Amino acid sequence: MTSTDLKAYLGIIARMKGLLNSPEFEQTFASLTASLPKSKQFLLKMELKRLAQPCNYFIDLRGHVDGDVKPYEYREKMHYLDDNAKQIFESGIKDYGEYTLGVYEEVMNAENNFRVRHRKETEERVKNTLDSLRRGPLLPDAPSSAEKDIEAEEATSLNKLVQFGYYVSRREERMNFGIEVEVRSTEHPFQAMTSDLSVSGCKLKVPAGKNIQVGDTLNLALKGLEKEFTLDLPDGLNYQVLQIDEQEKHAYLRLKRLEPQQEPQFNQFLQSFIHGNKRRYKINLDNTTDAVLTKGYEQYYLPRINTLPIYLSVVDGIVSSRFCLTTDYNKSVWHYFLDEQQLSVLNLVLSARRLKQLLSLQTPERSCILYCFTHAAKGKLYFYAATAIELATAPVLREMFFGFGAGKPSWRIFHLNLLKTSVSQSHNEFALPGSSTSQHSSPLVQSMLKDMHYIAALTEISAVAHRGYYASHHYDNTNLAELNKFGLSKAVQAAPCEAIPIHYVNLRAESRYLYKTTVLIRQKAEQTAFPAFSRDFSSGGLQLECSEPIDFAKGDILLLELPDLQKITPKYQLSNLPYEVMAVSKSRTIMNLKAAKTDGHIGKQFFQQLIQSNRNKLTIAEETPKYPGLSDALRNMYLKALNNFAIFVHRRGLRHDITVLGRGAQPNTLHKLLQLAQTQANTLDLTLLTKNHMFTQEIANQLKQMKRQDAPKAYELYIRVSELDNTQLEFSSHYDFEFSSAEEQKVFVIDAIQHHTLFSFRLFVSRTGNLDSEYIAKEIGYISVYAIHKAKSLEEELWHVEGVADGVETSAELIARFDVQASERQHLARLRILSRDR
């Protein structure tokens, strides 16, 4: 970086940086520095030579700039730059003629770099402090509008709880408009004020203490409007109370107008009034801004769920696992339950008998622990599965199942949660004000989902480090045949479960383009080539289709020739291009290929130039789902039923924060514990979760080491509850990383089991990718029309999400792991605590 004593000459450096190897360098330099002493001229010349030195530093701006960072390849080296950095980089290359130290420093010191911003803000604060010290004490000024904006932003940055799948739609626009009204339907009429108004309803601010209940009918006289307009409403308007928000000195009533069709002239007047004044009084955007935040956080969470949602149909008492919603993070669960023929055995695991077991539970959450292992014999894979409920009735078999099963590498433990659903929950009910209808599934998708009544949410909670606790159980080897009662049948299934990938933003490193051209394939240069044709390509790979099935496998290296494309380029020799096979279709006619790792791959260079020169002419390849709309429908159903919790990590500059939690339709155990631990009413205190930023710092350090495609990092959270008396509870939380050894952790857990009530949760932390902005584009566009600052604020909040944790309760598994005999006692103690009111 240019030293401080040369900062005054940055203009000369900028003028000269492109002339260093030019014949006119000396003459131009002499004319620009004629007034400078020889020592300064010497230092400037040395600085220019330093900046012009060739550079091979790798640039990765992910998490370091306020911008959308994308892969950018330069001379076979992949950098990660945002649009601003890319422009600076290419301009620097043009000035210097190659990638130099000067180009690197210009990119790293861009204005949107968080480090640069932090340094400038620090310098500004120091300058202001020194100025105030020189001026002496002053009387405080009234807060400026900018300061008010900062205070408002801080007020809105309080902890919040987002309910997935919950949106409030309005059929019409509602205007923020305060008018005086007289409430006549009580014994003593009183004055009140509207805070917003539409043709079919309003929000009313009334003094506290009024005896008004949800469902009451109120008659309002619109006194404020009657002063300016002739309304001809002698009997006023009738409204029904839908919701009451109690405050300290007043209450807000959400009102729905009754029988609006009886006053068509007033309806037309009010609609025209709102339309003509919505720029002046501003449209109420609360429901739309809430929907943007909810949908935005959903888009971060859903692609990273570790839980596998399995959709169960029930027809004539027969239960079938019909679909699974898969992501990159839960695919391991899906693959675990595939047999030697690659068919799912989930139909057998989730039998009608087990479904009845879960439905018979008299608890808020119908869940249990599922233990599994497999045994391979004679080319077949045999599955063994048992729930904690089944094993509790046979302690001897439980010892055997744990001891024998945990000794196998295939030992797995799952949290199984049964959720209710229906086809009606497959619709996206949110609609912008004034739009006709919400988004409904197609008739084909609805017919496929009409018999879906339950979702089995399956989350793997096992860990290699925990296997020893189960393997230590003693059993009689001579009685192993008794475990066959837990074996799954090898009978042919009528309709195996089908995996449906979740639909979200394309997170490929580079775009693929549709293009069909002839490709000749060989495995060795001397072999005869056989023809295929391309389906799509990118700079790093191709997808090929062959007319006959092929015998290639993943990892094979193929030599490609592109005869048709060779005709358009004399610059590149498009033959014997090495590509690695990455995947082969079931029909063995379609292959995905990746450019093999070689120095100066000719194919890669050719396709890069082809894309750069023809980007506007090429068509981007998009994935075509097997059942259009099914993935979105399954997604909506899971969102409205899920019982997991989500923790979102925001990064703002150098600081990480945890201020947003996500939940499903019903609060789960963690939310109830946080509620019980609150010290103030109507607040969401996350201290039990964050432990005064200890967990935030741990996640921040973890995210720095992670990439978007990395597997999640699992943490265990323990919440110990002590009952001091019949009314008071004491909460303390501990994470597994706080213990210095496994033995120390074991001592803590056993003590908590014996003397307290213990809850535990597994948190799967992953780094987020890009937000699918198309999912919220309509809402953001609508908000921008009326309040551009709100739209920017929403984007600012969502674009700063860097990590997400998917959480599931594991209390039952933890107790069984350390002291299975205490399982029932601890279960009852947990229910007793969760049944308390705060």
Side-chain angles (χ1 to χ4, degrees):
M1 185 174 176
T2 303
S3 57
T4 307
D5 56 339
L6 293 179
K7 289 286 179 70
Y9 309 105
L10 288 177
I12 296 176
I13 293 173
R15 173 73 175 82
M16 297 300 304
K17 63 185 180 183
L19 300 175
L20 193 63
N21 298 317
S22 170
E24 64 250 38
F25 173 81
E26 291 295 339
Q27 183 179 352
T28 308
F29 183 82
S31 64
L32 290 175
T33 60
S35 60
L36 299 179
K38 293 291 183 183
S39 58
K40 279 287 190 237
Q41 291 181 19
F42 174 77
L43 290 174
L44 275 173
K45 194 171 287 188
M46 290 301 100
E47 176 63 5
L48 285 167
K49 289 183 177 179
R50 185 188 71 84
L51 294 173
Q53 289 177 1
C55 175
N56 61 358
Y57 290 163
F58 169 77
I59 304 177
D60 187 355
L61 297 181
R62 291 176 293 186
H64 295 282
V65 295
D66 186 9
D68 185 16
V69 178
K70 300 174 183 176
Y72 178 84
E73 188 169 17
Y74 176 75
R75 293 189 178 177
E76 299 183 4
K77 184 183 285 291
M78 187 66 73
H79 303 280
Y80 291 88
L81 312 177
D82 65 321
D83 290 339
N84 185 42
K86 180 181 174 183
Q87 186 177 354
I88 294 171
F89 187 94
E90 292 176 346
S91 176
I93 297 294
K94 187 176 179 181
D95 288 337
Y96 287 99
E98 60 178 329
Y99 180 29
T100 68
L101 207 56
V103 177
Y104 173 80
E105 290 183 0
E106 286 179 25
V107 171
M108 297 304 291
N109 290 294
E111 289 294 322
N112 66 337
N113 190 293
F114 294 135
R115 174 179 51 79
V116 175
R117 285 184 179 178
H118 179 70
R119 187 183 71 240
K120 289 185 175 181
E121 289 169 1
T122 303
E123 290 171 354
E124 185 66 21
R125 283 197 299 269
V126 171
K127 179 178 178 295
N128 292 339
T129 302
L130 292 174
D131 289 344
S132 64
L133 288 173
R134 282 194 292 269
R135 289 195 305 266
L138 297 173
L139 291 173
D141 295 326
S144 66
S145 60
E147 290 170 335
K148 289 178 181 178
D149 290 344
I150 293 172
E151 291 172 3
E153 184 179 342
E154 290 175 349
T156 58
S157 66
L158 297 174
N159 299 335
K160 66 177 71 170
L161 186 61
V162 175
Q163 183 176 332
F164 297 140
Y166 176 73
Y167 323 106
V168 177
S169 297
R170 287 179 180 160
R171 292 174 297 173
E172 57 194 7
E173 292 180 324
R174 179 169 292 195
M175 184 171 64
N176 288 324
F177 188 56
I179 58 169
E180 296 177 21
V181 299
E182 184 180 57
V183 184
R184 297 172 172 172
S185 299
T186 58
E187 294 181 1
H188 303 287
F190 61 89
Q191 302 297 314
M193 182 77 70
T194 64
S195 61
D196 61 45
L197 185 66
S198 71
V199 174
S200 61
C202 69
K203 184 184 279 188
L204 198 64
K205 181 180 179 181
V206 302
K210 298 296 181 183
N211 186 24
I212 300 174
Q213 306 295 327
V214 172
D216 287 355
T217 299
L218 304 180
N219 181 271
L220 305 186
L222 308 181
K223 296 293 186 182
L225 280 179
E226 288 174 346
K227 291 178 182 178
E228 300 183 35
F229 305 98
T230 304
L231 300 183
D232 192 23
L233 295 172
D235 299 326
L237 300 171
N238 291 324
Y239 290 82
Q240 183 182 24
V241 180
L242 298 181
Q243 186 180 351
I244 301 175
D245 180 16
E246 296 282 356
Q247 305 284 334
E248 187 177 349
K249 295 182 179 179
H250 52 263
Y252 285 100
L253 312 181
R254 192 158 68 89
L255 306 180
K256 174 186 176 182
R257 190 171 156 207
L258 300 176
E259 299 178 340
Q261 67 278 5
Q262 293 186 359
E263 303 290 346
Q265 289 184 336
F266 175 73
N267 296 345
Q268 187 176 0
F269 158 77
L270 190 55
Q271 195 167 10
S272 301
F273 180 78
I274 291 174
H275 183 74
N277 290 276
K278 59 184 179 182
R279 299 284 183 181
R280 178 183 177 188
Y281 294 110
K282 298 200 181 300
I283 292 297
N284 186 294
L285 300 168
D286 290 349
N287 66 314
T288 310
T289 54
D290 289 346
V292 168
L293 286 176
T294 302
K295 294 174 77 173
Y297 284 118
E298 288 171 1
Q299 283 302 94
Y300 277 124
Y301 175 64
L302 277 174
R304 290 161 189 84
I305 56 173
N306 292 265
T307 297
L308 181 69
I310 306 158
Y311 297 79
L312 308 178
S313 67
V314 182
V315 180
D316 299 329
I318 299 175
V319 179
S320 300
S321 302
R322 187 67 185 88
F323 300 111
C324 287
L325 190 63
T326 58
T327 71
D328 291 342
Y329 295 84
N330 67 17
K331 270 187 180 177
S332 59
V333 179
W334 165 254
H335 289 141
Y336 179 81
F337 288 103
L338 297 178
D339 65 11
E340 71 280 357
Q341 298 178 6
Q342 295 300 297
L343 296 177
S344 173
V345 299
L346 286 169
N347 263 332
L348 304 172
V349 175
L350 303 171
S351 61
R353 176 175 55 83
R354 287 202 174 115
L355 196 64
K356 289 177 182 177
Q357 276 182 2
L358 291 170
L359 289 172
S360 65
L361 295 176
Q362 300 299 313
T363 55
E365 181 182 295
R366 294 185 173 95
S367 65
C368 69
I369 305 301
L370 177 71
Y371 302 94
C372 301
F373 65 89
T374 62
H375 176 67
K378 298 179 181 179
K380 293 191 175 182
L381 194 61
Y382 296 89
F383 287 81
Y384 294 80
T387 65
I389 300 171
E390 294 162 354
L391 293 175
T393 61
V396 175
L397 276 180
R398 180 172 61 194
E399 296 285 313
M400 190 184 301
F401 197 96
F402 284 171
F404 178 75
K408 288 185 160 289
S410 59
W411 173 256
R412 296 291 187 276
I413 306 173
F414 299 93
H415 178 271
L416 174 60
N417 191 12
L418 188 64
L419 310 167
K420 276 199 166 187
T421 189
S422 67
V423 66
S424 63
Q425 295 184 337
S426 66
H427 313 312
N428 184 351
E429 301 294 345
F430 182 75
L432 289 171
S435 60
S436 54
T437 57
S438 54
Q439 299 174 10
H440 282 240
S441 307
S442 67
L444 172 63
V445 169
Q446 291 197 51
S447 68
M448 298 170 75
L449 300 178
K450 63 183 176 64
D451 297 320
M452 300 293 168
H453 298 293
Y454 298 99
I455 299 174
L458 205 56
T459 313
E460 186 188 346
I461 56 174
S462 50
V464 174
H466 302 161
R467 191 173 293 171
Y469 292 105
Y470 291 96
S472 63
H473 287 264
H474 300 289
Y475 61 93
D476 185 354
N477 277 322
T478 60
N479 296 324
L480 282 175
E482 294 183 30
L483 292 181
N484 288 334
K485 68 177 293 186
F486 300 112
L488 302 186
S489 169
K490 297 297 289 184
V492 177
Q493 300 179 57
C497 190
E498 190 171 353
I500 305 296
I502 192 168
H503 174 70
Y504 60 103
V505 65
N506 186 354
L507 293 175
R508 288 179 179 269
E510 53 191 4
S511 296
R512 296 175 299 126
Y513 299 90
L514 297 174
Y515 194 80
K516 185 175 181 179
T517 186
T518 302
V519 181
L520 300 179
I521 305 174
R522 298 178 177 88
Q523 264 198 300
K524 294 182 180 179
E526 64 273 12
Q527 291 179 342
T528 303
F530 65 90
F533 63 87
S534 64
R535 291 162 60 97
D536 60 54
F537 70 86
S538 67
S539 62
L542 299 123
Q543 186 179 76
L544 303 184
E545 184 168 350
C546 308
S547 56
E548 300 290 335
I550 45 92
D551 294 326
F552 303 129
K554 182 178 179 182
D556 288 350
I557 300 297
L558 306 180
L559 300 177
L560 305 187
E561 184 179 347
L562 309 173
D564 294 341
L565 292 175
Q566 183 68 77
K567 297 174 184 177
I568 66 172
T569 174
K571 182 178 178 182
Y572 299 99
Q573 184 62 38
L574 303 181
S575 60
N576 292 327
L577 304 174
Y579 278 82
E580 180 183 354
V581 178
M582 301 305 294
V584 180
S585 67
K586 286 185 178 181
S587 64
R588 306 205 66 80
T589 57
I590 298 174
M591 293 186 293
N592 288 346
L593 305 181
K594 175 184 175 184
K597 292 182 179 179
T598 59
D599 293 332
H601 195 287
I602 300 298
K604 209 171 181 184
Q605 294 176 21
F606 167 73
F607 282 116
Q608 282 175 354
Q609 182 169 338
L610 183 69
I611 292 169
Q612 288 176 1
S613 304
N614 300 276
R615 198 180 297 273
N616 294 333
K617 301 176 185 177
L618 294 169
T619 303
I620 293 179
E622 296 181 356
E623 300 289 345
T624 303
K626 183 177 179 181
Y627 307 109
L630 179 58
S631 178
D632 288 339
L634 296 176
R635 167 195 182 286
N636 292 334
M637 292 170 75
Y638 181 60
L639 274 175
K640 295 169 185 176
L642 68 87
N643 194 246
N644 286 18
F645 59 90
I647 303 168
F648 296 95
V649 185
H650 288 78
R651 176 172 178 167
R652 296 177 175 89
L654 301 176
R655 191 181 78 248
H656 289 77
D657 294 313
I658 293 178
T659 57
V660 180
L661 294 188
R663 51 159 274 197
Q666 298 299 324
N668 61 35
T669 301
L670 180 65
H671 299 130
K672 291 176 183 175
L673 290 176
L674 290 174
Q675 195 174 32
L676 289 170
Q678 299 304 309
T679 55
Q680 297 181 14
N682 300 320
T683 62
L684 180 61
D685 187 354
L686 302 182
T687 304
L688 200 61
L689 185 64
T690 61
K691 298 201 65 178
N692 294 321
H693 302 293
M694 177 192 290
F695 184 54
T696 309
Q697 189 59 45
E698 170 66 24
I699 286 188
N701 294 333
Q702 184 62 38
L703 290 176
K704 289 175 185 175
Q705 305 168 31
M706 298 180 78
K707 296 180 180 178
R708 182 199 61 78
Q709 63 270 24
D710 287 350
K713 167 71 173 176
Y715 293 94
E716 271 196 328
L717 167 64
Y718 311 115
I719 296 181
R720 184 179 64 191
V721 184
S722 305
E723 299 183 72
L724 303 181
D725 51 45
N726 291 332
T727 58
Q728 194 173 359
L729 298 175
E730 183 179 72
F731 296 85
S732 63
S733 58
H734 306 267
Y735 283 95
D736 54 355
F737 61 80
E738 295 183 63
F739 300 102
S740 58
S741 65
E743 187 60 32
E744 183 183 342
Q745 181 182 1
K746 181 179 179 181
V747 169
F748 165 80
V749 171
I750 291 176
D751 176 75
I753 291 173
Q754 292 176 351
H755 303 105
H756 309 275
T757 304
L758 186 60
F759 295 84
S760 74
F761 303 88
R762 185 69 57 85
L763 309 178
F764 301 94
V765 176
S766 58
R767 190 182 181 93
T768 58
N770 297 327
L771 178 68
D772 189 353
S773 55
E774 289 185 12
Y775 191 62
I776 56 173
K778 289 182 180 178
E779 291 83 357
I780 288 288
Y782 177 79
I783 294 170
S784 299
V785 172
Y786 301 110
I788 187 66
H789 64 286
K790 277 194 176 183
K792 288 182 177 178
S793 175
L794 291 169
E795 289 182 337
E796 185 80 6
E797 176 174 345
L798 292 173
W799 259 252
H800 280 87
V801 176
E802 187 177 76
V804 62
D806 182 19
V808 62
E809 186 186 0
T810 57
S811 306
E813 187 276 328
L814 178 75
I815 306 303
R817 191 196 318 163
F818 285 95
D819 185 1
V820 69
Q821 305 301 329
S823 294
E824 183 63 19
R825 176 174 57 81
Q826 278 284 320
H827 172 67
L828 294 174
R830 291 195 300 272
L831 288 179
R832 185 173 65 251
I833 287 171
L834 294 175
S835 64
R836 287 195 179 208
D837 293 325
R838 186 185 172 279

